[in-house]
Amino acid sequence: MSAPQPAPRQRRKEARPGELLAAALDVFVEKGFAAARLDEIAQRAGVSKGTLYLYFESKEALLKAVVQESMVPLIAEGEDLAAQAASDPAATLQHLVTRWWREIGSTKLGGIPKLVMAEAGNFPEVAQFFFENVVLRGQALFRRVAETGIAQGVFRPCEPMLICDLAIKPLIFNHMWCQSFAHCDTSAIDPEVYLHAHLDVLLNGLLTHPHPTSPLPEHPQK
Amino acid sequence: MSAPQPAPRQRRKEARPGELLAAALDVFVEKGFAAARLDEIAQRAGVSKGTLYLYFESKEALLKAVVQESMVPLIAEGEDLAAQAASDPAATLQHLVTRWWREIGSTKLGGIPKLVMAEAGNFPEVAQFFFENVVLRGQALFRRVAETGIAQGVFRPCEPMLICDLAIKPLIFNHMWCQSFAHCDTSAIDPEVYLHAHLDVLLNGLLTHPHPTSPLPEHPQK
DNA sequence: TTAGTTACTGACTGTTTAGTCAGTATTGGC
DNA sequence: GCCAATACTGACTAAACAGTCAGTAACTAA
């Protein structure tokens, strides 16, 4: 039986915010915003709850900061990439979707929309912030590609925002679904298989002259 | 200034459960499960909180009862309808989706998946109950249609569950989205327009020999 | 009218947790 | 080594809320 020595205190002003945000992301995604306890976030970051309040004003401000720091840079990066106009809208659409999967859908960041949407009614400011800084800017990326594709006659003519919604919403939802029912849905389709099937059917349904596509998966799960 | 006369007490053993469930559905969908207060549910049903506990064991049991009473009958109804085998799988798929929209997507019942998914981590029993009694049975409906369609060569060959997921998940999510961002997304696409565009692109992308389809909407919102 | 039954009430309890702050311990300058 | 300056702590508080139960009043049958 060793004496329960209290962990030695450290002063690390620079590193704290990042560590707290990382811990907060973990706990928020695991438990949801309401059920996340600030004590647990602090503990995972290796500090006490008091320290949390040295860096963030409130629980809500912490969530806002998580969104700000983790999602907004990715959007900004996407905007830079999209600025280099690609000539092939179908390929660009595929590229954007794939990038979403790599950067967000396959990481714990994918849990943020669920978080924000679940609490949108109780914390409208967070929802608004997310909507303006992530959703609208993300939609703009897709929208430009859709407009180009329609103008070129590659995509069937329609409201560009439709293409945007049809392309990305199913994937966000599938992530939420898998996250929520992981313990129930033992024979769920692998999210990456879903991603490819979705892209295939989407493009096939959207293109004016569908390419011959690879066959859809017959037995996605072993 | 009238005297604040306490509303006269009433004894209505038969009607209470239904009224409480209706009030609970309202408040759960509005606030989410965690943020819903039992006092408010009771108040909306015109009773006190104590009465609530005469009819339901706990808050969690109340949610389970809401799912049981509002969703399960609809699934059962759908199973009856699907038992009358339809010869045209594409039309049947369209019919199932449209029925989902009419009975669930366009009503407050559409808020239940959001509710259950948001709290799945904290109340796994509720998620399990929903999954087994609603999701699995709903999937089975779609799956049978998908299998028939593939066997007839009407749908492209693939894992039938994929068709099921591709057909319904986007719609569930779009409902959640609109509900969550109603106050932010002032130029959102009308859900019914989204429904038709989705069905169009889905079938176009899924059929081995796509029908000539009506054009996609150009300006869905006025 | 009265007495018995029970649906219903609402004040109360216990618990949980966001947010506070007086005090402590580490650091860096001298 | 000593002394600020300040990053950090954790016990505390106030509030919110699920769940309880002794008491109340609506109904019923005789």
Side-chain angles (χ1 to χ4, degrees):
Chain A
M1 276 190 287
S2 63
Q5 50 192 349
R9 199 187 274 193
Q10 285 191 332
R11 292 162 69 117
R12 302 171 57 241
K13 190 177 164 66
E14 309 305 322
R16 295 296 186 213
E19 292 168 355
L20 285 165
L21 286 172
L25 175 61
D26 280 3
V27 179
F28 282 152
V29 167
E30 260 174 51
K31 304 273 171 63
F33 181 71
R37 284 174 300 108
L38 292 182
D39 274 314
E40 184 175 355
I41 293 172
Q43 194 191 8
R44 286 206 203 181
V47 298
S48 73
K49 187 165 60 169
T51 300
L52 223 165
Y53 280 90
L54 295 179
Y55 296 98
F56 302 96
E57 270 210 332
S58 66
K59 193 181 184 186
E60 190 173 347
L62 181 60
L63 174 56
K64 225 162 158 177
V66 166
V67 173
Q68 170 74 54
E69 296 303 315
S70 62
M71 297 292 277
V72 172
L74 284 178
I75 293 287
E77 216 175 291
E79 282 166 347
D80 288 347
L81 285 177
Q84 310 151 12
S87 54
D88 180 351
T92 306
L93 189 66
Q94 216 160 355
H95 180 244
L96 278 179
V97 167
T98 307
R99 209 180 92 86
W100 173 88
W101 167 253
R102 199 179 55 242
E103 307 283 353
I104 299 176
S106 64
T107 74
K108 70 185 73 170
L109 291 181
I112 289 183
K114 176 176 167 181
L115 202 61
V116 173
M117 289 173 70
E119 300 289 349
N122 304 116
F123 300 92
E125 270 187 47
V126 175
Q128 179 110 16
F129 178 81
F130 177 78
F131 191 79
E132 283 170 9
N133 293 279
V134 178
V135 174
L136 283 183
R137 288 169 66 180
Q139 280 178 333
L141 290 182
F142 280 84
R143 190 190 171 90
R144 188 185 310 169
V145 178
E147 281 167 346
T148 307
I150 295 168
Q152 292 182 4
V154 178
F155 295 150
R156 295 164 58 193
C158 67
E159 161 64 33
M161 198 59 85
L162 256 181
I163 295 182
C164 169
D165 282 7
L166 290 170
I168 198 71
K169 280 181 176 174
L171 295 172
I172 298 175
F173 184 64
N174 197 53
H175 186 282
M176 287 176 51
W177 184 275
C178 294
Q179 191 184 325
S180 301
F181 295 121
H183 299 300
C184 310
D185 200 350
T186 50
S187 69
I189 291 173
D190 178 83
E192 208 156 350
V193 171
Y194 184 88
L195 167 72
H196 289 118
H198 165 69
L199 266 177
D200 182 306
V201 171
L202 174 73
L203 286 174
N204 201 44
L206 206 57
L207 294 174
T208 45
H209 305 291
H211 299 113
T213 52
S214 55
L216 289 169
E218 296 269 355
H219 301 98
Q221 66 273 35
K222 262 220 292 262
Chain B
M1 276 191 286
S2 64
Q5 49 191 351
R9 198 188 273 193
Q10 285 192 332
R11 294 162 66 116
R12 303 173 55 242
K13 189 177 164 66
E14 310 304 322
R16 295 296 187 214
E19 291 168 358
L20 285 166
L21 286 171
L25 174 61
D26 280 3
V27 178
F28 282 152
V29 167
E30 259 174 52
K31 303 274 171 65
F33 181 70
R37 285 175 299 110
L38 292 182
D39 274 314
E40 185 175 356
I41 293 173
Q43 194 191 9
R44 286 207 204 180
V47 299
S48 73
K49 188 165 61 169
T51 300
L52 223 166
Y53 280 90
L54 295 178
Y55 296 99
F56 302 97
E57 270 210 331
S58 66
K59 194 181 183 185
E60 191 173 345
L62 181 59
L63 174 56
K64 225 163 158 177
V66 166
V67 173
Q68 171 73 55
E69 296 303 315
S70 61
M71 298 292 278
V72 173
L74 284 177
I75 293 287
E77 217 176 291
E79 282 166 348
D80 289 347
L81 285 176
Q84 312 151 11
S87 55
D88 180 352
T92 307
L93 189 66
Q94 216 159 357
H95 180 244
L96 278 179
V97 167
T98 306
R99 210 181 91 87
W100 172 88
W101 167 254
R102 199 179 55 242
E103 307 282 354
I104 299 175
S106 65
T107 74
K108 70 184 74 171
L109 291 182
I112 289 184
K114 176 177 167 182
L115 201 60
V116 174
M117 289 173 69
E119 300 290 349
N122 304 116
F123 300 91
E125 269 187 48
V126 175
Q128 179 109 17
F129 178 81
F130 177 77
F131 191 79
E132 282 170 10
N133 294 278
V134 178
V135 174
L136 284 183
R137 287 170 68 181
Q139 280 178 333
L141 290 182
F142 280 85
R143 191 190 170 91
R144 188 184 312 169
V145 178
E147 281 166 347
T148 309
I150 295 167
Q152 293 182 5
V154 177
F155 295 150
R156 294 165 58 193
C158 68
E159 161 65 32
M161 198 59 84
L162 257 180
I163 295 181
C164 169
D165 282 8
L166 290 171
I168 198 71
K169 280 182 175 174
L171 296 171
I172 299 175
F173 184 64
N174 195 55
H175 185 282
M176 286 175 51
W177 183 275
C178 294
Q179 190 184 325
S180 301
F181 295 120
H183 299 303
C184 310
D185 199 352
T186 50
S187 70
I189 291 173
D190 178 82
E192 208 157 350
V193 171
Y194 184 88
L195 167 72
H196 289 118
H198 164 68
L199 266 177
D200 182 306
V201 171
L202 174 73
L203 286 174
N204 202 43
L206 205 57
L207 294 174
T208 46
H209 305 291
H211 299 113
T213 52
S214 55
L216 289 168
E218 296 270 355
H219 301 99
Q221 65 273 36
K222 263 221 291 264

